[in-house]
Amino acid sequence: MERLLDACVGLKLLRVEVKEEGAFYGNTEISNLYLAKTSPKTQHHNLMYYSKTIYLCWHYLTDAVREGKNQYERAFGISSKDVFEALYRSEEEMIKFMYGLNEIWSICGRDVIAAFDLSSFTVIYDLGGGAGALAQECVSMYPSCTVTIFDLPKVIQTAKKYFVSSEEHRITFYEGDFFKDPVPAADLYILARILHDWADEKCVQLLTKVQKACRPGGGVLLIETLLNEDKSGPLESQLYSINMLVQTEGKERTPAEYSKLLTAAGFKEIGFKKTGKLYDAILGRK
Ligand SMILES: C[S@@+](CC[C@H](N)C(=O)[O-])C[C@H]1O[C@@H](n2cnc3c(N)ncnc32)[C@H](O)[C@@H]1O
């Protein structure tokens, strides 16, 4: 235990005070802020997901590099073509994943929603909106919009049950599969951490559907971590891109790569905003 505590001091997760009676350990400020479960900025579920799911896929990194595909089958014995079928293998797993997804937005949700002025968009769909943290950020920042969270039926049912308050009348729900079902008309579609899950062809297929459904003058807001054009960094985005390899069929992309996907789907006037945090914003107009 002492060695573990000392290593945590080395990692700056704990601080130590050595007295005559012995060593006294306590949380550092950063641990209280991001690791304590009760902190509003806690990343507890995110880190548990890293430890119990992602880490196991990374164990097969060599196989992932050789085969160019995710390692769910080796890590969990699940042979599913759709990564989300594997991810949502039980309700418990799905809830943990949804908590984890939401937690990052307590740190950078406001930055990505404020990156562009979205005040002219009133009907907004958050495609693959999951547990709804960005929908909540949107309605709190833009008083005249409504946001519909579009996601797979079991995710929507869980979001309603555990995550989004029924008092929040400007957030509604839509159960569907964005590859198979029609996408309703709206002024703005948010796709946060969606395209990074999928190969280029599927991204263009989805964006084309969105472009067709989009009202004139409307647009699409992509929220993703952007790689430098020469892929020399940022390190976090490079590592996230490997993470997409071991877990999904997607990858992180550069601004030019996102431009290409959006242009192929018919979007114009594409703008990029780096937020200085992990996630960035890309706006395309119909
Ligand atoms: C990586 S998560 C991102 C969630 C959320 N946008 C965020 O950034 O926190 C991808 C989301 O897409 C949803 N999703 C995956 N496949 C889908 C499909 N075919 N139709 C609708 N939603 C889907 C998942 O359920 C999940 O909520």
Side-chain angles (χ1 to χ4, degrees), residues 82 84 88 97 101-102 105 126-130 134 150-152 155 176-179 192-194 196-198:
D82 185 334
F84 288 95
Y88 299 152
F97 178 64
L101 284 174
N102 257 15
W105 300 127
D126 187 356
L127 298 184
L134 282 183
F150 181 124
D151 212 301
L152 299 166
V155 176
D177 179 322
F178 50 48
F179 289 118
R193 297 189 282 186
I194 301 299
H196 77 168
D197 292 330
W198 306 104

Side-chain angles (χ1 to χ4, degrees), residues 59-232:
H59 183 71
Y60 299 102
L61 178 61
T62 3
D63 300 285
V65 171
R66 284 203 186 100
E67 297 165 0
K69 67 170 197 168
N70 75 60
Q71 295 299 313
Y72 262 94
E73 196 167 345
R74 279 199 179 84
F76 301 105
I78 302 169
S79 67
S80 169
K81 273 210 144 176
D82 185 334
V83 62
F84 288 95
E85 254 176 56
L87 262 179
Y88 299 152
R89 55 195 177 277
S90 69
E91 199 197 17
E92 199 192 338
E93 282 302 312
M94 180 167 64
I95 295 172
K96 279 196 283 185
F97 178 64
M98 290 170 77
Y99 268 112
L101 284 174
N102 257 15
E103 282 173 351
I104 193 72
W105 300 127
S106 69
I107 300 176
C108 49
R110 188 142 281 252
D111 304 78
V112 293
I113 295 300
F116 289 96
D117 178 7
L118 306 177
S119 56
S120 64
F121 304 114
T122 49
V123 177
I124 301 177
Y125 266 69
D126 187 356
L127 298 184
L134 282 183
Q136 271 162 332
E137 203 68 67
C138 247
V139 294
S140 81
M141 202 175 298
Y142 298 106
S144 57
C145 75
T146 60
V147 182
T148 303
I149 302 171
F150 181 124
D151 212 301
L152 299 166
K154 55 184 170 186
V155 176
I156 292 295
Q157 283 148 28
T158 309
K160 280 183 184 165
K161 200 161 147 194
Y162 297 103
F163 291 93
V164 182
S165 156
S166 55
E167 311 261 291
E168 184 45 87
H169 299 297
R170 288 197 292 127
I171 297 184
T172 57
F173 300 91
Y174 193 100
E175 295 180 8
D177 179 322
F178 50 48
F179 289 118
K180 295 185 184 143
D181 299 322
V183 170
D187 302 312
L188 180 73
Y189 298 87
I190 298 174
L191 278 79
R193 297 189 282 186
I194 301 299
L195 298 189
H196 77 168
D197 292 330
W198 306 104
D200 286 359
E201 311 78 70
K202 278 215 184 136
C203 292
V204 174
Q205 179 195 333
L206 179 57
L207 288 173
T208 305
K209 187 186 262 192
V210 168
Q211 202 271 354
K212 288 203 173 107
C214 186
R215 292 182 178 152
V220 65
L221 179 71
L222 308 181
I223 295 168
E224 298 285 0
T225 184
L226 283 172
L227 282 165
N228 299 343
E229 281 306 351
D230 62 2
K231 301 199 174 146
S232 59

